[in-house]
Amino acid sequence: MEDNKIVPKATLQRYPIYLKALRHLKEVGITRIMSKDLSSYVAIEPTTIRRDFSFIGKLGKQGYGYDVDSLIEIFSSHLGLSFDEKIILVGAGNLGKALLNYNKWNNVVGEIICAFDLYPEKVQGSSVPVYPISEISNHIPKGCRIAILTVTQNIQETVDILIENGITGIVDFTSEHFVVPKGVSVKVVSVVASIQELVFDTNAIKK
């Protein structure tokens, strides 16, 4: 980001949206795009797009638009996102299966390479290999840093195993408290908390 510029939280949340759209545009052969055209892909106003981009620097030319490859490189660098990020899923129950069926992270951060479960033999029709949790050290992809955690038991023990095997980022769907050492990031995904926020917002609108 440009020096002395504080990027608003809302802008930071839109950057991955832009990156996903840009990678899709590249896949379909588009090499240059105007903000008004990008707007139709991301459902964000062109003025907002231009303002968001300005926090990073002068990325386009008036009348020319933006170079798609350059934008992808810049956003990937600033966001620390790799197209080849190898992600693992730990817990292949109902929620885990839904995430595997989705598995469309490839336009942003890579993809789920494999999954682990207490009872892998019960997981049917998975799009990726499913191994026993006890064999994480044998099957974790080389260079893997990110794990999506959806297990419902032995959570702290599972987290400890993940960290021992090089995981430094956890997306947590468990709704259970666990402890991680310094240097390991945890992002909690809570449907309940999101609903609570929506209830608060809708009540505020009524007033």
Side-chain angles (χ1 to χ4, degrees):
M1 309 299 172
E2 287 197 334
D3 294 340
N4 302 321
K5 278 196 174 185
I6 299 176
V7 183
K9 182 178 179 180
T11 294
L12 288 173
Q13 291 174 336
R14 286 190 289 267
Y15 282 163
I17 298 174
Y18 298 138
L19 181 55
K20 181 175 182 177
L22 289 164
R23 283 180 166 157
H24 172 72
L25 290 168
K26 180 177 180 178
E27 285 182 357
V28 298
I30 295 175
T31 59
R32 190 176 71 208
I33 192 165
M34 307 289 287
S35 58
K36 62 181 178 63
D37 297 319
L38 181 58
S39 174
S40 66
Y41 282 92
V42 297
I44 297 171
E45 290 295 322
T47 52
T48 301
I49 292 174
R50 291 192 291 271
R51 184 174 64 249
D52 288 348
F53 285 12
S54 71
F55 286 102
I56 295 180
K58 296 180 180 179
L59 305 182
K61 298 178 181 179
Q62 188 171 3
Y64 176 86
Y66 301 98
D67 181 85
V68 171
D69 281 340
S70 294
L71 284 181
I72 290 173
E73 182 178 349
I74 290 168
F75 276 116
S76 295
S77 173
H78 281 293
L79 295 174
L81 299 176
S82 168
F83 183 80
D84 296 319
E85 192 75 50
K86 296 177 177 63
I87 306 168
I88 61 171
L89 173 74
V90 185
N94 291 334
L95 177 56
K97 288 177 184 176
L99 293 172
L100 285 176
N101 288 335
Y102 176 73
N103 203 10
K104 295 179 181 176
W105 328 103
N106 58 311
N107 278 327
V108 181
V109 292
E111 62 182 339
I112 299 173
I113 299 298
C114 63
F116 297 89
D117 195 84
L118 283 173
Y119 310 102
E121 68 278 1
K122 294 183 179 181
V123 181
Q124 303 295 322
S126 173
S127 58
V128 301
V130 182
Y131 306 108
I133 288 179
S134 60
E135 296 183 11
I136 284 178
S137 60
N138 296 329
H139 297 288
I140 191 168
K142 184 178 180 180
C144 178
R145 303 176 299 169
I146 308 297
I148 301 173
L149 191 64
T150 64
V151 293
T152 57
Q153 55 184 298
N154 302 330
I155 294 171
Q156 183 67 61
E157 178 183 344
T158 302
V159 168
D160 292 343
I161 292 172
L162 291 171
I163 293 170
E164 288 171 5
N165 285 278
I167 294 298
T168 56
I170 298 173
V171 181
D172 174 29
F173 283 89
T174 68
S175 300
E176 298 289 339
H177 175 71
F178 56 81
V179 178
V180 298
K182 186 177 181 180
V184 176
S185 298
V186 178
K187 298 298 182 183
V188 178
V189 180
S190 173
V191 175
V192 172
S194 297
I195 294 173
Q196 288 175 333
E197 290 177 8
L198 284 172
V199 169
F200 178 83
D201 290 343
T202 54
N203 286 337
I205 291 172
K206 288 180 181 179
K207 295 178 181 178

